[in-house]
Amino acid sequence: MKKKIALITGVTGQDGAYLSRFLLKKGYIVHGIKRRSSSLNTWRIDGIYDDPLKTKSKFFLHHGDMTDSLSLERIIKMVKPSEIYNLAAQSHVKVSFEQPEYTANTTAIGALRILECIKNFDKRIKYYQAGTSELFGVSKSKFQDENTPFYARSPYSAAKLYAHWITINYREAYNLFACNGILFNHESPMRGETFVTKKIISGLIKIKYGIEKKLILGNLYSKRDWGHAKDYVEAMWLMLQQKKPRDFVIATGKQYSVKKFIEMTCKELNINISWKGKGINIKGINEQGKIIIECNKKYFRPTEVESLLGSTKKANKYLNWKPKTPIKKLIKDIIDFEKKSLKVNG
Ligand code: NAP
Ligand code: F7E
């Protein structure tokens, strides 16, 4: 059988790192696009990067950028992939309010650039678009699924909304095998440091071991459906192995507030936390009566997504996919990784 070739944009990010490992294990040849940066940005994939001069290498990196059609076209023509996973994005919601144009260029038009290449170069290439639960924004229903209306609440979400619809349009107009995965928050030891789960866990470990005194956060009352990235990349792959291209919600069906996530992390780290005050004035206090958590408006968004909770009936039915990792294990995985990185024990 002919070897499958995957091309991953955003290969240096959290999901890119998990998906690369997953596809290599499945026997794929994996190519990734990384953008040039003045400091190294490959720490998440360094462990799998073979010497490309070795004849048996199955993992290759190429310089390219989602804002640069010429580089994308060159890479797609050279690699001749059977599947493209478009994971690259300016993916931070808060940052998208500060860089709305760049976010749109990378996250929305970037998707269009890849779809155009597929349409013009080889329509047999299967395409995965990294969609998001942020599309639901303000939702009237408790659970969100593939039929829940969208309500973009950030430049990030508006950009992803474009990417979602342009993927469907190219599927319908040009008969491409193109799917949107509408993924709810997923985390892991590889998560970027400024996303709330990693920030909380890293911050609380630093406080416990005397490296830092306080953790400053934003809105502690928003609720999220948090899964493990390792489980979610399998769903991306499954979507491209189906007979028909379809869009799927991927989630755990369980929801916690940011405040509850802090409490669960404290429990795992044996930190006794109590709360004083409300809203932006809420403070987390430890056993010794010291304030270890405070809120600052700097970390609030101009418009917030208050509550997200996914229903994965469709993914269960068509993909036979279910999340495997409970939140307690997710927190433990990140704690273990952070402790190792910070060289602290106990
Ligand atoms: P991430 O860790 O922020 O990774 C984003 C990747 O995109 C990085 O490799 C980044 O490169 C790359 N990138 C950014 N701008 C680029 C550009 N102009 N050209 C080329 N590459 C660029 O995100 P993630 O958590 O792995 O998420 C993967 C995808 O799923 C993203 O599209 C995200 O929006 C979406 N998503 C994520 C979640 C989640 O909870 N994680 C949920 C739903 C959807 P650098 O390493 O150089 O920064
Ligand atoms: O925020 C609140 C914040 O930045 C979660 C991205 O992967 O998932 C992610 O977007 C919640 C929000 O993730 C801080 O206001 C409080 O309500 O970890 P986050 P996100 O915005 O949900 C979706 C599905 C994506 O698609 C995105 O790419 O936590 N929060 N205090 C904070 N958030 C951050 N970052 N920092 C804080 O200090």
Side-chain angles (χ1 to χ4, degrees):
M1 206 179 82
K2 216 180 135 202
K3 271 226 176 251
K4 282 195 171 177
I5 302 172
L7 175 64
I8 304 176
T9 73
V11 74
T12 56
Q14 170 188 256
D15 291 4
Y18 279 97
L19 183 64
S20 298
R21 285 172 172 84
F22 176 87
L23 293 175
L24 285 165
K25 266 200 193 147
K26 290 254 169 228
Y28 279 66
I29 293 172
V30 177
H31 293 261
I33 299 183
K34 68 164 189 159
R35 57 180 170 168
R36 197 266 161 184
S37 77
S38 65
S39 45
L40 292 177
N41 60 356
T42 54
W43 66 273
R44 293 182 177 98
I45 47 173
D46 283 342
I48 46 172
Y49 186 60
D50 282 344
D51 178 351
L53 295 177
K54 277 196 235 158
T55 47
K56 279 194 179 153
S57 181
K58 291 195 178 102
F59 186 63
F60 305 90
L61 293 180
H62 310 272
H63 275 120
D65 199 292
M66 295 305 288
T67 61
D68 173 13
S69 302
L70 294 180
S71 67
L72 299 174
E73 204 180 305
R74 174 182 57 80
I75 295 166
I76 291 172
K77 283 186 174 163
M78 180 174 63
V79 166
K80 299 187 178 61
S82 38
E83 296 170 11
I84 296 181
Y85 295 85
N86 182 29
L87 309 184
Q90 189 306 93
S91 73
H92 202 284
V93 174
K94 174 73 165 63
V95 171
S96 78
F97 288 97
E98 287 142 31
Q99 289 193 276
E101 184 183 348
Y102 178 71
T103 301
N105 196 356
T106 305
T107 308
I109 307 303
L112 172 69
R113 291 184 181 108
I114 304 251
L115 286 162
E116 261 298 295
C117 283
I118 297 177
K119 184 193 98 189
N120 295 332
F121 174 59
D122 182 356
K123 284 192 190 164
R124 291 169 306 174
I125 301 171
K126 295 182 175 180
Y127 177 78
Y128 172 84
Q129 170 58 33
T132 169
S133 51
E134 284 292 301
L135 293 172
F136 299 119
V138 186
S139 172
K140 286 197 182 103
S141 41
K142 185 174 179 213
F143 283 91
Q144 294 86 46
D145 65 16
E146 294 79 4
N147 299 315
T148 306
F150 296 142
Y151 189 137
R153 289 279 280 174
S154 63
Y156 167 75
S157 175
K160 285 286 185 185
L161 189 62
Y162 176 86
H164 179 89
W165 282 112
I166 201 67
T167 300
I168 292 175
N169 182 249
Y170 272 54
R171 176 164 82 209
E172 292 173 352
Y174 307 115
N175 207 19
L176 300 191
F177 194 110
C179 304
N180 287 295
I182 307 172
L183 272 52
F184 281 60
N185 297 53
H186 46 281
E187 319 293 312
S188 74
M190 302 281 125
R191 188 57 145 153
E193 284 161 28
T194 60
F195 295 96
V196 81
T197 52
K198 193 75 184 281
K199 187 174 164 184
I200 290 169
I201 291 174
S202 175
L204 286 172
I205 293 175
K206 285 179 188 154
I207 290 168
K208 183 176 165 87
Y209 292 94
I211 301 166
E212 270 170 20
K213 289 200 162 66
K214 243 185 228 175
L215 173 62
I216 315 288
L217 293 163
N219 176 17
L220 305 194
Y221 300 96
S222 54
K223 293 177 187 154
R224 290 291 183 273
D225 175 332
W226 280 294
H228 199 304
K230 191 175 59 184
D231 299 344
Y232 286 36
V233 298
E234 184 183 11
M236 297 176 189
W237 174 76
L238 282 169
M239 285 178 215
L240 297 198
Q241 311 315 309
Q242 303 305 300
K243 284 219 171 82
K244 266 179 76 176
R246 289 189 175 95
D247 306 324
F248 290 97
V249 159
I250 299 297
T252 69
K254 295 204 171 85
Q255 186 193 56
Y256 304 90
S257 66
V258 174
K259 185 165 167 267
K260 182 71 190 171
F261 190 92
I262 296 172
E263 288 164 5
M264 290 191 289
T265 304
C266 283
K267 193 164 177 217
E268 217 38 67
L269 289 171
N270 287 322
I271 298 174
N272 270 323
I273 190 159
S274 57
W275 299 100
K276 251 194 184 159
K278 270 190 192 156
I280 194 167
N281 297 317
I282 191 167
K283 294 190 191 335
I285 295 164
N286 72 4
E287 269 182 318
Q288 290 77 40
K290 294 215 167 91
I291 296 173
I292 56 167
I293 292 183
E294 264 178 8
C295 297
N296 188 304
K297 66 173 189 307
K298 178 175 158 192
Y299 295 111
F300 281 66
R301 288 127 199 230
T303 38
E304 174 66 283
V305 172
E306 298 291 349
S307 174
L308 290 173
L309 178 57
S311 162
T312 53
K313 279 194 194 130
K314 188 175 170 187
N316 300 158
K317 181 177 165 192
Y318 289 99
L319 308 178
N320 195 20
W321 181 90
K322 277 194 179 134
K324 295 187 184 109
T325 316
I327 192 149
K328 204 168 146 48
K329 170 83 170 72
L330 167 67
I331 292 174
K332 204 173 166 318
D333 275 6
I334 306 179
I335 289 179
D336 290 347
F337 180 87
E338 285 300 294
K339 278 188 173 175
K340 252 195 200 156
S341 314
L342 293 165
K343 298 192 173 65
V344 293
N345 256 318

